[in-house]
Amino acid sequence: MRFAVIADIHGNYAALQAVLDDACAVGVEGYLFVGDYITDMPYAKEIVHTLQGLKNAVFVSGNREWYMDSLNPSRRHWEQFAGLFLTRDMLEEEGLSWVRSLPKSVLLNTPDGQKRILMEHVCEELYGAEEHGKKKLASGALDESFRYRDATRQEVCAFAKEGFEANTRLPELARRAAVDVVIHGHSHLQYALTIGDVLYLNPGSCGLPLDHQLGAPYTLLCYENGRFSTEERRVVYNLEETLRYCESTPFYQEAKGWCQLNFWQLRTARDHSRVFFQFLQEQQEIDRPQIDQEHNLALHRALARTKEYYKELDSSQTK
Protein backbone atom coordinates (compact mmCIF):
# COMPACT_ATOMS: atom_id res chain seq x y z
CA MET A 1 0.00 0.00 0.00
CA ARG A 2 1.33 3.44 -0.95
CA PHE A 3 -0.05 6.61 0.66
CA ALA A 4 0.62 10.27 -0.06
CA VAL A 5 0.96 12.08 3.29
CA ILE A 6 0.11 15.78 2.98
CA ALA A 7 -0.09 18.59 5.56
CA ASP A 8 -0.31 22.36 6.00
CA ILE A 9 -1.68 23.47 2.63
CA HIS A 10 -2.57 26.90 4.08
CA GLY A 11 -4.81 27.82 1.18
CA ASN A 12 -2.13 27.28 -1.50
CA TYR A 13 -4.21 25.58 -4.17
CA ALA A 14 -1.44 25.59 -6.81
CA ALA A 15 0.87 23.70 -4.44
CA LEU A 16 -1.84 21.17 -3.61
CA GLN A 17 -2.59 20.56 -7.29
CA ALA A 18 1.11 20.04 -8.04
CA VAL A 19 1.41 17.52 -5.20
CA LEU A 20 -1.73 15.63 -6.20
CA ASP A 21 -0.53 15.43 -9.81
CA ASP A 22 2.82 14.08 -8.68
CA ALA A 23 1.20 11.59 -6.30
CA CYS A 24 -1.04 10.32 -9.09
CA ALA A 25 1.97 9.96 -11.40
CA VAL A 26 3.81 7.75 -8.90
CA GLY A 27 0.77 5.56 -8.33
CA VAL A 28 -0.43 6.31 -4.81
CA GLU A 29 -3.39 4.24 -3.59
CA GLY A 30 -4.58 6.57 -0.86
CA TYR A 31 -4.09 9.90 0.90
CA LEU A 32 -3.45 10.85 4.52
CA PHE A 33 -4.05 14.53 5.30
CA VAL A 34 -3.04 16.01 8.65
CA GLY A 35 -4.59 19.46 8.87
CA ASP A 36 -4.26 23.18 8.10
CA TYR A 37 -5.85 23.08 4.66
CA ILE A 38 -7.22 26.62 4.48
CA THR A 39 -6.53 30.34 5.15
CA ASP A 40 -3.64 32.55 3.97
CA MET A 41 -4.67 32.43 0.28
CA PRO A 42 -8.02 32.92 -1.50
CA TYR A 43 -8.59 29.29 -2.50
CA ALA A 44 -10.46 27.80 0.45
CA LYS A 45 -13.49 26.73 -1.59
CA GLU A 46 -11.39 25.10 -4.34
CA ILE A 47 -9.26 23.24 -1.83
CA VAL A 48 -12.18 21.86 0.15
CA HIS A 49 -13.96 20.81 -3.05
CA THR A 50 -10.82 19.03 -4.28
CA LEU A 51 -10.23 17.25 -0.98
CA GLN A 52 -13.85 16.13 -0.79
CA GLY A 53 -13.52 14.56 -4.24
CA LEU A 54 -10.51 12.38 -3.44
CA LYS A 55 -11.01 8.65 -3.11
CA ASN A 56 -9.46 6.64 -0.27
CA ALA A 57 -8.50 9.75 1.70
CA VAL A 58 -8.35 10.20 5.48
CA PHE A 59 -8.40 13.65 7.11
CA VAL A 60 -7.78 15.20 10.49
CA SER A 61 -8.28 18.88 11.29
CA GLY A 62 -5.62 21.42 12.19
CA ASN A 63 -5.54 24.71 14.04
CA ARG A 64 -6.48 26.62 10.87
CA GLU A 65 -9.72 24.67 10.74
CA TRP A 66 -10.30 25.20 14.49
CA TYR A 67 -10.00 28.96 14.01
CA MET A 68 -13.18 29.03 11.94
CA ASP A 69 -15.29 28.77 15.11
CA SER A 70 -13.23 31.06 17.34
CA LEU A 71 -12.98 34.34 15.41
CA ASN A 72 -13.40 37.60 17.31
CA PRO A 73 -15.83 39.79 15.29
CA SER A 74 -14.14 42.97 16.51
CA ARG A 75 -11.02 42.00 14.52
CA ARG A 76 -12.82 41.46 11.19
CA HIS A 77 -10.97 44.31 9.46
CA TRP A 78 -7.53 43.81 10.99
CA GLU A 79 -5.17 42.67 8.23
CA GLN A 80 -3.72 40.05 10.55
CA PHE A 81 -7.08 38.29 10.85
CA ALA A 82 -9.01 39.36 7.75
CA GLY A 83 -7.93 36.28 5.81
CA LEU A 84 -9.56 34.04 8.40
CA PHE A 85 -12.89 35.84 8.09
CA LEU A 86 -12.67 35.84 4.28
CA THR A 87 -11.89 32.12 4.32
CA ARG A 88 -14.95 31.45 6.44
CA ASP A 89 -17.08 33.52 4.06
CA MET A 90 -15.73 31.65 1.02
CA LEU A 91 -16.45 28.23 2.47
CA GLU A 92 -20.10 29.04 3.12
CA GLU A 93 -22.13 26.64 5.22
CA GLU A 94 -21.47 23.54 3.12
CA GLY A 95 -17.70 23.89 3.28
CA LEU A 96 -17.76 24.88 6.95
CA SER A 97 -19.85 21.82 7.75
CA TRP A 98 -17.22 19.57 6.18
CA VAL A 99 -14.40 21.36 8.02
CA ARG A 100 -16.23 21.04 11.33
CA SER A 101 -16.82 17.34 10.75
CA LEU A 102 -13.11 16.50 10.65
CA PRO A 103 -11.73 14.69 13.70
CA LYS A 104 -8.68 15.97 15.54
CA SER A 105 -7.17 12.49 15.76
CA VAL A 106 -7.46 9.24 13.80
CA LEU A 107 -6.11 5.76 14.48
CA LEU A 108 -5.63 3.51 11.44
CA ASN A 109 -4.81 -0.14 11.12
CA THR A 110 -2.76 -1.45 8.21
CA PRO A 111 -4.68 -3.76 5.83
CA ASP A 112 -3.14 -6.84 7.45
CA GLY A 113 -4.05 -5.60 10.94
CA GLN A 114 -0.46 -5.86 12.18
CA LYS A 115 0.46 -2.17 12.54
CA ARG A 116 -1.24 1.02 13.76
CA ILE A 117 -0.91 4.62 12.58
CA LEU A 118 -1.80 7.70 14.62
CA MET A 119 -2.72 10.88 12.72
CA GLU A 120 -2.84 14.23 14.57
CA HIS A 121 -2.03 17.73 13.36
CA VAL A 122 -0.47 18.71 16.68
CA CYS A 123 0.90 15.98 18.93
CA GLU A 124 1.26 17.73 22.27
CA GLU A 125 3.97 15.34 23.42
CA LEU A 126 6.04 16.41 20.40
CA TYR A 127 5.50 20.15 20.54
CA GLY A 128 4.86 20.74 24.21
CA ALA A 129 3.21 23.87 25.55
CA GLU A 130 3.56 26.94 23.35
CA GLU A 131 5.28 29.83 25.06
CA HIS A 132 5.22 33.27 23.43
CA GLY A 133 4.62 31.66 20.04
CA LYS A 134 7.60 29.34 20.36
CA LYS A 135 7.16 25.61 19.73
CA LYS A 136 9.52 22.71 20.09
CA LEU A 137 10.72 21.46 16.70
CA ALA A 138 9.60 24.80 15.25
CA SER A 139 10.73 26.32 11.98
CA GLY A 140 11.70 29.50 13.82
CA ALA A 141 14.16 27.53 15.93
CA LEU A 142 15.61 26.05 12.74
CA ASP A 143 16.18 29.59 11.45
CA GLU A 144 18.02 30.50 14.63
CA SER A 145 20.30 27.48 14.16
CA PHE A 146 20.99 28.40 10.52
CA ARG A 147 20.95 32.19 10.48
CA TYR A 148 23.43 32.73 7.67
CA ARG A 149 22.69 29.88 5.28
CA ASP A 150 19.90 27.48 4.43
CA ALA A 151 19.86 24.09 6.09
CA THR A 152 20.06 21.02 3.87
CA ARG A 153 17.37 18.36 4.07
CA GLN A 154 19.81 16.18 6.01
CA GLU A 155 20.42 18.99 8.47
CA VAL A 156 16.69 19.54 8.93
CA CYS A 157 16.33 15.85 9.83
CA ALA A 158 19.27 16.08 12.22
CA PHE A 159 17.73 19.18 13.83
CA ALA A 160 14.42 17.36 14.28
CA LYS A 161 16.10 14.23 15.62
CA GLU A 162 17.96 16.26 18.23
CA GLY A 163 14.64 17.75 19.33
CA PHE A 164 13.00 14.35 19.56
CA GLU A 165 15.82 12.81 21.55
CA ALA A 166 15.78 15.73 24.01
CA ASN A 167 12.02 15.41 24.52
CA THR A 168 11.37 13.61 27.81
CA ARG A 169 7.66 13.29 26.99
CA LEU A 170 8.25 11.25 23.86
CA PRO A 171 8.18 7.80 25.50
CA GLU A 172 4.80 8.68 27.01
CA LEU A 173 3.38 9.32 23.54
CA ALA A 174 4.50 5.90 22.37
CA ARG A 175 3.05 4.21 25.47
CA ARG A 176 -0.22 6.12 25.32
CA ALA A 177 -0.87 5.55 21.66
CA ALA A 178 0.67 2.09 21.28
CA VAL A 179 1.27 2.80 17.60
CA ASP A 180 3.96 2.12 15.03
CA VAL A 181 3.72 5.39 13.09
CA VAL A 182 2.86 8.93 14.24
CA ILE A 183 1.93 11.26 11.38
CA HIS A 184 1.73 14.94 12.25
CA GLY A 185 2.18 18.42 10.79
CA HIS A 186 2.22 21.95 12.25
CA SER A 187 5.96 22.67 12.31
CA HIS A 188 6.29 23.07 8.50
CA LEU A 189 9.43 20.89 8.60
CA GLN A 190 9.73 17.67 6.59
CA TYR A 191 11.29 14.63 8.24
CA ALA A 192 10.80 10.92 8.83
CA LEU A 193 12.55 9.64 11.97
CA THR A 194 12.50 6.30 13.72
CA ILE A 195 12.90 6.80 17.47
CA GLY A 196 12.77 3.57 19.43
CA ASP A 197 10.23 1.45 17.60
CA VAL A 198 8.10 4.35 16.34
CA LEU A 199 8.29 6.19 13.01
CA TYR A 200 7.56 9.92 13.40
CA LEU A 201 6.61 11.42 10.07
CA ASN A 202 6.00 15.06 9.19
CA PRO A 203 5.46 15.56 5.43
CA GLY A 204 6.33 19.25 5.69
CA SER A 205 4.06 22.08 4.62
CA CYS A 206 2.65 21.54 1.16
CA GLY A 207 1.63 25.18 0.82
CA LEU A 208 3.98 27.11 3.13
CA PRO A 209 7.28 25.24 3.58
CA LEU A 210 9.59 26.80 6.17
CA ASP A 211 12.43 24.27 6.07
CA HIS A 212 14.70 26.30 3.77
CA GLN A 213 13.74 24.27 0.67
CA LEU A 214 11.50 25.67 -2.08
CA GLY A 215 8.75 23.68 -3.74
CA ALA A 216 5.74 21.79 -2.36
CA PRO A 217 6.75 18.88 -0.09
CA TYR A 218 4.89 15.70 0.74
CA THR A 219 5.91 12.19 1.76
CA LEU A 220 5.13 8.75 0.38
CA LEU A 221 4.42 6.21 3.10
CA CYS A 222 4.61 2.64 1.86
CA TYR A 223 3.64 -0.54 3.68
CA GLU A 224 4.71 -3.91 2.33
CA ASN A 225 5.42 -7.28 3.93
CA GLY A 226 4.84 -5.89 7.42
CA ARG A 227 7.29 -3.00 7.04
CA PHE A 228 7.01 0.76 6.48
CA SER A 229 9.22 2.81 4.19
CA THR A 230 9.15 6.48 3.24
CA GLU A 231 10.14 8.68 0.33
CA GLU A 232 10.26 12.45 0.76
CA ARG A 233 9.24 14.34 -2.35
CA ARG A 234 9.18 18.02 -3.30
CA VAL A 235 7.29 19.31 -6.32
CA VAL A 236 8.09 22.44 -8.32
CA TYR A 237 5.24 24.74 -9.32
CA ASN A 238 4.96 28.34 -10.55
CA LEU A 239 5.10 30.22 -7.26
CA GLU A 240 5.43 33.70 -8.76
CA GLU A 241 2.39 33.23 -10.97
CA THR A 242 0.44 32.06 -7.93
CA LEU A 243 1.44 35.11 -5.90
CA ARG A 244 0.73 37.52 -8.75
CA TYR A 245 -2.79 36.18 -9.02
CA CYS A 246 -3.32 36.43 -5.27
CA GLU A 247 -2.19 40.06 -5.32
CA SER A 248 -5.01 40.87 -7.75
CA THR A 249 -7.77 39.56 -5.47
CA PRO A 250 -9.93 41.28 -2.83
CA PHE A 251 -8.49 38.75 -0.37
CA TYR A 252 -5.06 40.35 -0.74
CA GLN A 253 -6.43 43.88 -0.48
CA GLU A 254 -8.18 43.14 2.83
CA ALA A 255 -5.38 41.06 4.34
CA LYS A 256 -2.44 42.82 2.69
CA GLY A 257 0.03 42.91 5.58
CA TRP A 258 -0.53 39.28 6.50
CA CYS A 259 -0.27 38.22 2.85
CA GLN A 260 2.97 40.14 2.43
CA LEU A 261 4.47 38.30 5.40
CA ASN A 262 3.43 34.91 4.03
CA PHE A 263 4.53 35.69 0.47
CA TRP A 264 7.95 36.68 1.81
CA GLN A 265 8.13 33.39 3.69
CA LEU A 266 7.07 31.46 0.57
CA ARG A 267 9.83 33.06 -1.48
CA THR A 268 12.51 32.28 1.11
CA ALA A 269 11.13 29.06 2.70
CA ARG A 270 12.07 30.63 6.03
CA ASP A 271 10.06 31.46 9.14
CA HIS A 272 10.00 35.23 9.62
CA SER A 273 6.88 35.12 11.77
CA ARG A 274 8.60 34.65 15.13
CA VAL A 275 10.61 37.85 14.75
CA PHE A 276 7.58 39.61 13.25
CA PHE A 277 5.33 38.76 16.20
CA GLN A 278 7.95 39.99 18.66
CA PHE A 279 8.07 43.33 16.83
CA LEU A 280 4.27 43.42 16.53
CA GLN A 281 3.86 43.03 20.28
CA GLU A 282 6.39 45.81 20.88
CA GLN A 283 4.72 48.04 18.28
CA GLN A 284 1.30 47.57 19.83
CA GLU A 285 2.69 48.52 23.22
CA ILE A 286 4.20 51.66 21.68
CA ASP A 287 1.23 52.67 19.51
CA ARG A 288 -1.60 51.42 21.72
CA PRO A 289 -3.94 51.12 18.70
CA GLN A 290 -7.67 51.56 19.22
CA ILE A 291 -9.31 51.43 15.81
CA ASP A 292 -8.85 49.08 12.84
CA GLN A 293 -6.63 51.44 10.86
CA GLU A 294 -4.30 51.89 13.83
CA HIS A 295 -3.98 48.13 14.31
CA ASN A 296 -3.14 47.73 10.62
CA LEU A 297 -0.59 50.52 10.80
CA ALA A 298 1.10 48.79 13.76
CA LEU A 299 1.23 45.58 11.72
CA HIS A 300 2.92 47.28 8.77
CA ARG A 301 5.40 49.01 11.06
CA ALA A 302 6.25 45.65 12.64
CA LEU A 303 6.64 44.11 9.18
CA ALA A 304 9.00 46.93 8.13
CA ARG A 305 11.04 46.41 11.30
CA THR A 306 11.19 42.67 10.58
CA LYS A 307 12.53 43.26 7.08
CA GLU A 308 15.09 45.71 8.42
CA TYR A 309 16.16 43.15 11.02
CA TYR A 310 16.85 40.54 8.36
CA LYS A 311 18.53 43.09 6.11
CA GLU A 312 20.95 43.94 8.92
CA LEU A 313 21.45 40.23 9.58
CA ASP A 314 22.40 39.70 5.94
CA SER A 315 24.71 42.71 6.05
CA SER A 316 26.55 41.40 9.11
CA GLN A 317 27.15 38.12 7.28
CA THR A 318 28.94 39.85 4.40
CA LYS A 319 31.23 41.98 6.59
Side-chain angles (χ1 to χ4, degrees), residues 21-249:
D21 288 346
D22 187 77
C24 181
V26 298
V28 302
E29 300 165 86
Y31 301 88
L32 305 176
F33 288 89
V34 280
D36 276 13
Y37 312 118
I38 52 177
T39 74
D40 299 324
M41 285 189 178
Y43 302 106
K45 196 168 186 177
E46 293 88 342
I47 286 173
V48 168
H49 179 75
T50 297
L51 296 181
Q52 287 176 310
L54 292 174
K55 297 180 179 179
N56 198 20
V58 180
F59 304 92
V60 296
S61 61
N63 52 285
R64 293 287 165 168
E65 288 71 56
W66 308 336
Y67 292 164
M68 293 297 98
D69 288 323
S70 61
L71 299 180
N72 183 341
S74 68
R75 298 175 175 179
R76 173 66 178 82
H77 299 292
W78 296 15
E79 291 180 24
Q80 182 182 346
F81 302 104
L84 299 174
F85 287 92
L86 290 166
T87 294
R88 190 173 66 180
D89 294 344
M90 290 172 187
L91 288 177
E92 301 179 327
E93 193 53 43
E94 181 180 354
L96 283 171
S97 179
W98 183 80
V99 165
R100 290 167 177 152
S101 73
L102 301 178
K104 289 188 175 182
S105 178
V106 167
L107 271 174
L108 300 174
N109 292 317
T110 54
D112 59 10
Q114 294 184 23
K115 305 287 185 179
R116 297 212 309 168
I117 301 170
L118 171 65
M119 294 173 55
E120 289 183 346
H121 180 68
V122 181
C123 292
E124 291 186 3
E125 287 83 354
L126 301 186
Y127 292 105
E130 297 187 14
E131 181 181 355
H132 303 300
K134 299 179 181 180
K135 299 184 285 288
K136 296 178 181 178
L137 299 175
S139 48
L142 178 72
D143 281 354
E144 290 179 2
S145 298
F146 293 89
R147 288 191 175 192
Y148 302 112
R149 68 173 179 86
D150 290 339
T152 65
R153 292 177 72 174
Q154 292 76 15
E155 287 170 331
V156 172
C157 287
F159 167 84
K161 185 177 181 181
E162 182 180 352
F164 273 93
E165 291 177 342
N167 187 349
T168 58
R169 300 179 66 184
L170 197 60
E172 176 58 26
L173 171 62
R175 288 193 297 270
R176 175 178 64 85
V179 296
D180 303 280
V181 180
V182 176
I183 299 176
H184 55 284
H186 196 50
S187 72
H188 294 225
L189 306 179
Q190 185 181 40
Y191 50 80
L193 301 169
T194 299
I195 309 293
D197 297 324
V198 180
L199 170 64
Y200 296 92
L201 191 161
N202 188 328
S205 173
C206 168
L208 187 59
L210 300 175
D211 54 3
H212 303 182
Q213 311 295 316
L214 296 174
Y218 78 105
T219 299
L220 294 176
L221 176 65
C222 303
Y223 183 72
E224 188 175 7
N225 298 324
R227 299 185 64 182
F228 289 102
S229 62
T230 62
E231 179 186 343
E232 295 181 344
R233 299 181 67 84
R234 194 161 298 236
V235 188
V236 176
Y237 67 101
N238 194 328
L239 173 61
E240 290 304 320
E241 181 180 296
T242 300
L243 300 187
R244 280 196 299 272
Y245 174 79
C246 288
E247 288 172 350
S248 70
T249 65

Side-chain angles (χ1 to χ4, degrees), residues 255-297:
K256 184 179 293 185
W258 185 252
C259 287
Q260 288 173 351
L261 174 64
N262 281 313
F263 292 1
W264 181 21
Q265 294 185 129
L266 272 165
R267 288 183 169 114
T268 60
R270 281 182 167 266
D271 184 349
H272 304 300
S273 62
R274 180 183 294 194
V275 173
F276 164 76
F277 279 118
Q278 289 174 344
F279 283 136
L280 180 59
Q281 182 178 358
E282 292 175 10
Q283 200 64 52
Q284 289 171 335
E285 291 173 354
I286 294 169
D287 295 348
R288 299 198 177 279
Q290 299 296 318
I291 61 176
D292 295 341
Q293 293 89 336
E294 291 172 348
H295 281 284
N296 293 335
L297 182 58

